[in-house]
Amino acid sequence: MPDTTTSDITIRAISADETYELRHQVLWPGEPVSYIKLGNDAVGLHFGAFRNGKLVSVISLFIDGSVARFRKFATRPDCQGQGIGSQLLRHVINEARRRGARRLWCDARARNEAFYRAFKLEPEGNRIYRGTEPYILMARDL
């Protein structure tokens, strides 16, 4: 898959190991690094958005047949609200579709529901909690 470049942002495939620092810093800084590692990271597709050569956003995509799931989507706090995560998520939606997925879902932090709705993901089911953090399953057809 070629790099995707928009303005000063470059999106490219990265290794699972390259996602860990940002996942930890943004998603669960109070937990040990092992908390942000996934048992199936080795089979996932991992992507990073780079600004001026520095990794500022990560996401991991897992495809099982016609269903794709993205996880561990994290953007550096000082880079949030600038469209970088949106570029990265668009890239992953296109990649899932390109690889034959017909449905895409994630467990979204409930406070980010409006962000995901902008990408046509809709809530399904009830909220779940990881620690004190509420999540909701959000999904869409591709």
Side-chain angles (χ1 to χ4, degrees):
M1 179 83 209
D3 294 352
T4 301
T5 304
T6 307
S7 66
D8 62 341
I9 303 301
T10 300
I11 296 173
R12 66 173 174 83
I14 60 175
S15 70
D17 288 348
E18 290 174 280
T19 70
Y20 295 154
E21 184 178 341
L22 202 50
R23 281 183 186 179
H24 185 248
Q25 173 193 349
V26 175
L27 300 175
W28 296 103
E31 298 292 338
V33 173
S34 59
Y35 192 78
I36 55 81
K37 294 181 180 181
L38 299 170
N40 62 344
D41 269 335
V43 299
L45 302 166
H46 310 279
F47 300 94
F50 294 80
R51 174 186 271 160
N52 302 318
K54 294 189 192 275
L55 184 61
V56 297
S57 187
V58 297
I59 193 168
S60 298
L61 179 66
F62 301 87
I63 301 173
D64 184 7
S66 64
V67 178
R69 177 185 188 187
F70 64 91
R71 300 187 70 184
K72 304 299 182 190
F73 184 17
T75 301
R76 228 172 58 189
D78 63 322
C79 295
Q80 292 176 9
Q82 299 172 29
I84 299 167
S86 293
Q87 286 182 48
L88 186 55
L89 184 53
R90 275 192 296 277
H91 180 86
V92 164
I93 290 168
N94 290 333
E95 184 67 13
R97 190 180 287 123
R98 188 181 76 76
R99 290 177 177 263
R102 296 181 164 276
R103 185 135 179 94
L104 179 70
W105 70 282
C106 73
D107 284 325
R109 289 183 181 205
R111 63 186 153 151
N112 297 327
E113 182 179 330
F115 173 81
Y116 292 110
R117 281 182 179 271
F119 291 89
K120 299 186 172 120
L121 283 103
E122 294 294 330
E124 295 184 356
N126 297 317
R127 289 181 184 217
I128 58 170
Y129 287 83
R130 294 203 176 107
T132 59
E133 187 75 47
Y135 282 77
I136 188 157
L137 188 152
M138 297 191 74
R140 67 169 278 188
D141 290 331
L142 295 176

